[in-house]
Amino acid sequence: MKRFLILLTMTSMVFAISASAAPSAKFAAVYGDGGPYVVSTAVITDAVVDTVNSDSNSGYTFATIKVPQDKELLIGVSAEVGLTTDTSIKGKNGGTAKSIAGAAAYVTVCALHAGTAVVEACAAPGPVTLSSRVQALSARLGGVIESCEDGLGDNGDPTDSIGNDPDGVIDVQTECIVSDEEIGLMLDTVASHHFNFVLPNMDQGEYDITAYFMTTADVEVDIDEVSVVEGGTVSGSAFSSVFIGKHMVTVQQVRAVKGPILDVDIIE
């Protein structure tokens, strides 16, 4: 929660507010139809040692509404979320590695006293994941054999009088020209997501109902050092990007059924 409250001290918003609703007794809404907003991107290119990189960004939008005493607010948050993850591994002679790319978008909703940075309450059920993906690619690559020529035997003995390998076995690492083999996987998706939030038993007053968006991009390359010691060569690349696109926040004053709003688990 502390991470979201820090956003209130930002001197500029990460994405623009396209509209700010005037105070209303029953309903307010705000939306953005441009974008992309709140973009996070992390990249690793041709890493030959263990490497990690990440990026995160935040932004917010709000609608203002007047609330009479002890009323509930029903808040709906909708947003397009775009995720791109791309992983690849290149190597030969048994080089082994893992490339990982992850991307995610989150939202939380809080009520601030209008025109201030004072938080009255944050809406149930708290921070929500709108979309998330982790993509992992592992590979052990032999490479592409271009050509081979008999030379020394595996035990280091010279070739015989007609140039054959004494033990009749070609050592790919020492007697062949091998080029890198490469494997990769890329996923790119854009989807719309919606979640409802509730602020119960609000005190009378005017509030800025604020939706805080956060995006995170994480990439990692894990090199199998044993495969390198044994003569393999390998490198890994990873790319991750996430953005918030078109979005809408709606706020409606409601009156819940008598009794508290319950926090219960699903019964199986």
Side-chain angles (χ1 to χ4, degrees):
M1 184 60 64
K2 183 181 294 183
R3 178 170 55 188
F4 294 108
L5 298 184
I6 291 174
L7 295 175
L8 300 178
T9 64
M10 296 171 59
T11 57
S12 61
M13 290 186 298
V14 176
F15 67 77
I17 299 171
S18 63
S20 181
S24 168
K26 298 294 183 181
F27 177 82
V30 62
Y31 68 93
D33 59 0
Y37 308 104
V38 197
V39 181
S40 295
T41 301
V43 183
I44 296 174
T45 303
D46 294 332
V48 296
V49 296
D50 293 351
T51 307
V52 177
N53 194 10
S54 64
D55 183 34
S56 63
N57 284 289
S58 302
Y60 66 94
T61 188
F62 68 89
T64 303
I65 190 169
K66 286 183 178 179
V67 181
Q69 189 69 28
D70 294 332
K71 292 290 185 177
E72 281 69 51
L73 294 178
L74 177 63
I75 303 111
V77 178
S78 303
E80 289 180 334
V81 180
L83 305 176
T84 300
T85 50
D86 190 0
T87 52
S88 63
I89 298 172
K90 180 170 59 178
K92 61 183 179 180
N93 298 332
T96 304
K98 178 184 288 186
S99 178
I100 304 170
Y106 311 89
V107 66
T108 193
V109 173
C110 294
L112 285 67
H113 292 283
T116 75
V118 179
V119 176
E120 171 69 18
C122 289
V128 170
T129 301
L130 293 175
S131 186
S132 177
R133 180 167 68 234
V134 176
Q135 175 180 310
L137 176 67
S138 300
R140 181 179 179 86
L141 302 175
V144 179
I145 298 175
E146 302 292 347
S147 62
C148 296
E149 182 178 352
D150 281 347
L152 298 177
D154 290 341
N155 58 4
D157 295 333
T159 58
D160 59 23
S161 59
I162 59 175
N164 292 323
D165 194 335
D167 60 7
V169 177
I170 292 177
D171 186 337
V172 174
Q173 289 191 17
T174 60
E175 299 176 321
C176 297
I177 298 175
V178 181
S179 61
D180 286 333
E181 182 179 5
E182 186 169 2
I183 183 172
L185 173 66
M186 192 274 282
L187 295 174
D188 185 13
T189 59
V190 178
S192 297
H193 304 269
H194 178 84
F195 206 90
N196 287 325
F197 297 82
V198 172
L199 282 162
N201 300 321
M202 296 294 292
D203 291 334
Q204 182 178 358
E206 186 175 319
Y207 296 95
D208 292 335
I209 307 303
T210 307
Y212 299 97
F213 293 91
M214 175 173 289
T215 59
T216 61
D218 301 285
V219 288
E220 179 180 354
V221 171
D222 183 8
I223 302 295
D224 185 342
E225 296 180 359
V226 174
S227 70
V228 175
V229 171
E230 293 177 348
T233 60
V234 67
S235 65
S237 299
F239 173 86
S240 175
S241 184
V242 55
F243 69 85
I244 302 293
K246 295 179 180 179
H247 57 277
M248 176 170 285
V249 177
T250 59
V251 186
Q252 184 176 1
Q253 176 193 306
V254 296
R255 176 72 269 180
V257 296
K258 186 176 181 180
I261 296 175
L262 301 178
D263 177 11
V264 297
D265 294 328
I266 296 176
I267 299 175
E268 297 182 352

